[in-house]
Amino acid sequence: MEKFVLILLPALIATSGAKESVYARIGEKVVLKPPSINGLSRYVYWTFHKEDGFSLAWSNPYGGKNIAKVEPWKDKLTLSDDSLVIDNVQPEFFGTYFCKIESAIQNVHFHSIELIKLDVSVNPANPLLPGESLSLSCTVDYPKKPEIHWLNPRGEKKGQGTVTVKVTSQDDGMWTCVVAEEKQVKMPVKVMGLSPAPVLPHYTSTSSRFAVPCSIPHPITWEQIKAKGVQEVHWQFFPATSSGLNSQRLFTLSLDSLSWKEDQTRDLKPASDPEKRNLELTRKLGRVDDRGDYVCTMKFKNGLILNRTVHVEVLQITSSPGPHLLSGQQLNLTCSVGQPLPSDLQLRWTQPKPAAQPGLKSDQHSARLTIPEVSTDDGGLWVCGLWQGETQLTSAAIRLTIDPKVSVWTLVMACSAAAIVVLLLLILALVLHRRRRRKMRHLRHQLCRCKKYVLTISWTGEMAPNSHLHSLTLIRGGI
Ligand SMILES: *[C@@H]1O[C@H](CO)[C@@H](O)[C@H](O)[C@H]1NC(C)=O
Ligand SMILES: *[C@@H]1O[C@H](CO)[C@@H](O)[C@H](O)[C@H]1NC(C)=O
């Protein structure tokens, strides 16, 4: 009886009242999703323009499905559950889509979705200099206009539909067009500037490689920079120790060859690949006199200046009285950047042999360590790390040499030994001196005899005209 009644009941037809709108740009992928309907076994039909219009796709509860394969729909449609997925939306795809869902208990639901064309553009598309004008447009091709607005990269609302702004460096990033509070289209805007963003001071140490970063952010190219009328690129240094007024120009970039010319030598080396937009300065090790501000500047013909200041702090360990000590001496080690550190940074010491000074914790936070009496076990590498939470920003190191202390008794022994050696040397010198004098006297005897002999020869030489003997005569004459 019940079964009979069911069969006789006319099919219930439900049509969703409000027409749903979906916004899409040409080329986008969209998913047209009907409201969820209970019941597992159902038939789903998708048509275009009219309820009984062109059949785009259908599926039945037994796993069968069919999708339109004619142009322009060919290869662009798929069914995912009940949703119709359109890949690469074409201009002729904008219009009304109907979805009919028949469930097993013979309820029929009609649902329609309006696919509306959205146009989004940003002009100009290439990178801008700060101060240049940018036009952002987000419009809908439909009589009933939805609410449209733009959000800048910081998420601030910036007017509706079409917006024109004079850009600043803060406008660099993703702009978002929001349509009817649901559809979002992200558009990248590139404003020329230099990296890195100015954040914390740049911490380095006298034991670390020294590098001052500066680069032109990707994807800006030198061609684009030159097209904007770049006039000069240079590095300047403002030492921390001076009053701040006497800056030094370090390097100037030759724009034709993209090679650096050194203005002031500080043993710094500019990166070898400025053509890859890397403007970094480096040295093998940091020095205390590197403390200060490094400014990387790009000047344009219209007077605009882009610059980036890198504030450099150099961590150094100093030892009082010095790196060479005798055991038992008092030692003060100071680790510092030359001024108080911000409260979120800590210093941590590492000793060469932690057992040698158990009183000192390895995470000692103070900038100064005092060891009342050093031992030879304190010799070696002392490291002071600068930490921000669990991140090490930099570390400095010092190598201490500690010799064992010489006792008074050892000193006396050493002195006596030295005295004996000196005495022996003196005796030796005396003996040698006397022997030498004796030898000299002996030599002089021989020499006298020799003189006589020469005289004899020369006299014979006069009798026999021989040149050799003649010259011997001359030598004698010289004596
Ligand atoms: C950096 O550029 C600003 C203008 O953008 C300028 O006022 C400032 O003086 C420049 N700094 C240096 C060190 O050149
Ligand atoms: C170490 O520091 C203390 C306290 O400032 C000072 O009295 C002492 O003279 C210093 N010792 C050395 C060797 O510098």
Side-chain angles (χ1 to χ4, degrees):
M1 179 64 198
E2 263 184 37
K3 205 172 178 185
F4 183 62
V5 171
L6 267 175
I7 289 164
L8 281 190
L9 274 173
L12 293 169
I13 297 181
T15 309
S16 335
K19 199 191 253 180
E20 199 188 319
S21 297
V22 169
Y23 302 92
R25 302 165 69 195
I26 288 171
E28 257 185 350
K29 172 182 178 168
V30 291
V31 178
L32 304 182
K33 192 174 161 54
S36 66
I37 307 241
N38 289 331
L40 278 173
S41 43
R42 63 267 190 97
Y43 295 83
V44 180
Y45 304 94
W46 280 96
T47 55
F48 191 46
H49 279 325
K50 286 187 283 185
E51 281 177 17
D52 57 350
F54 177 73
S55 171
L56 296 170
W58 59 255
S59 68
N60 65 29
Y62 315 110
K65 55 168 80 172
N66 190 40
I67 287 161
K69 295 203 175 57
V70 296
E71 290 296 351
W73 306 99
K74 193 168 175 278
D75 300 333
K76 294 193 182 75
L77 300 178
T78 38
L79 266 182
S80 162
D81 294 330
D82 296 340
S83 303
L84 182 68
V85 182
I86 309 175
D87 255 329
N88 189 1
V89 168
Q90 298 299 302
E92 55 269 50
F93 291 3
F94 296 104
T96 316
Y97 290 76
F98 292 91
C99 177
K100 184 171 88 171
I101 299 180
E102 279 178 25
S103 68
I105 49 165
Q106 296 229 315
N107 281 349
V108 179
H109 292 263
F110 273 106
H111 186 68
S112 65
I113 298 174
E114 189 72 27
L115 184 62
I116 300 170
K117 187 173 167 212
L118 182 65
D119 283 306
V120 186
S121 65
V122 166
N123 273 307
N126 38 19
L128 293 134
L129 283 178
E132 286 185 325
S133 184
L134 172 73
S135 157
L136 302 139
S137 160
C138 188
T139 56
V140 151
D141 185 14
Y142 198 64
K144 198 166 147 264
K145 299 288 180 205
E147 198 276 331
I148 297 181
H149 63 260
W150 280 98
L151 298 176
N152 70 12
R154 284 157 291 155
E156 297 161 349
K157 226 175 191 177
K158 282 282 169 186
Q160 295 157 350
T162 302
V163 181
T164 305
V165 285
K166 266 203 183 340
V167 294
T168 68
S169 58
Q170 294 189 312
D171 292 322
D172 178 81
M174 276 300 172
W175 283 69
T176 312
C177 169
V178 183
V179 183
E181 299 298 335
E182 52 174 82
K183 169 82 180 175
Q184 297 199 344
V185 180
K186 293 201 179 299
M187 298 296 283
V189 167
K190 202 72 230 169
V191 180
M192 281 195 192
L194 294 166
S195 288
V199 273
L200 265 176
H202 186 74
Y203 288 101
T204 184
S205 83
T206 50
S207 325
S208 323
R209 176 175 177 265
F210 181 74
V212 194
C214 181
S215 62
I216 298 158
H218 183 79
I220 296 172
T221 64
W222 274 111
E223 285 64 43
Q224 290 168 334
I225 294 169
K226 285 177 183 173
K228 293 284 179 191
V230 68
Q231 210 172 26
E232 194 176 288
V233 177
H234 67 251
W235 269 107
Q236 266 173 300
F237 174 52
F238 298 82
T241 44
S242 76
S243 58
L245 290 171
N246 56 357
S247 74
Q248 304 170 2
R249 184 186 277 233
L250 302 176
F251 288 96
T252 307
L253 188 71
S254 151
L255 291 167
D256 298 323
S257 58
L258 288 184
S259 57
W260 291 100
K261 179 179 128 316
E262 188 170 40
D263 295 303
Q264 180 116 18
T265 176
R266 288 187 56 80
D267 294 333
L268 289 168
K269 225 174 76 188
S272 58
D273 50 357
E275 70 281 359
K276 288 189 188 146
R277 307 181 301 271
N278 180 9
L279 309 177
E280 181 185 57
L281 293 183
T282 60
R283 196 190 311 108
K284 227 169 154 186
L285 286 178
R287 304 194 308 219
V288 170
D289 67 359
D290 288 333
R291 289 174 182 157
D293 287 335
Y294 293 78
V295 185
C296 167
T297 300
M298 200 175 263
K299 270 190 191 164
F300 291 85
K301 286 203 182 80
N302 64 0
L304 184 89
I305 294 174
L306 294 180
N307 61 24
R308 184 59 77 224
T309 303
V310 184
H311 180 70
V312 171
E313 299 275 19
V314 182
L315 191 68
Q316 187 199 27
I317 301 180
T318 47
S319 164
S320 168
H324 300 280
L325 295 102
L326 287 179
S327 64
Q329 272 192 297
Q330 190 192 45
L331 167 70
N332 289 335
L333 285 178
T334 311
C335 179
S336 136
V337 295
Q339 57 174 353
L341 285 170
S343 57
D344 62 328
L345 303 186
Q346 303 96 39
L347 293 169
R348 293 184 202 166
W349 287 93
T350 313
Q351 327 174 31
K353 285 200 191 118
Q357 298 290 341
L360 298 177
K361 285 195 228 90
S362 62
D363 61 346
Q364 185 89 26
H365 285 187
S366 70
R368 163 180 278 207
L369 283 187
T370 299
I371 300 173
E373 288 192 6
V374 289
S375 76
T376 46
D377 278 350
D378 293 322
L381 203 64
W382 287 76
V383 180
C384 161
L386 179 64
W387 293 76
Q388 183 175 42
E390 286 312 302
T391 312
Q392 181 169 325
L393 302 176
T394 188
S395 72
I398 190 170
R399 186 171 290 283
L400 296 184
T401 321
I402 297 172
D403 294 324
K405 188 158 71 180
V406 190
S407 70
V408 177
W409 182 236
T410 341
L411 216 66
V412 168
M413 297 272 284
C415 285
S416 335
I420 289 166
V421 168
V422 168
L423 209 68
L424 284 175
L425 282 175
L426 273 175
I427 291 166
L428 190 69
L430 208 69
V431 170
L432 283 176
H433 183 69
R434 291 183 59 166
R435 271 188 60 175
R436 208 174 118 90
R437 267 178 55 173
R438 266 223 308 275
K439 216 171 174 179
M440 288 284 276
R441 217 176 299 145
H442 180 74
L443 259 173
R444 217 172 294 149
H445 279 300
Q446 274 193 342
L447 208 65
C448 294
R449 246 179 290 153
C450 186
K451 240 185 214 167
K452 273 181 207 153
Y453 184 61
V454 170
L455 282 171
T456 323
I457 292 172
S458 44
W459 288 326
T460 43
E462 256 168 32
M463 286 181 269
N466 183 303
S467 62
H468 279 278
L469 296 173
H470 190 67
S471 66
L472 266 176
T473 318
L474 286 177
I475 286 166
R476 199 207 62 87
I479 286 172

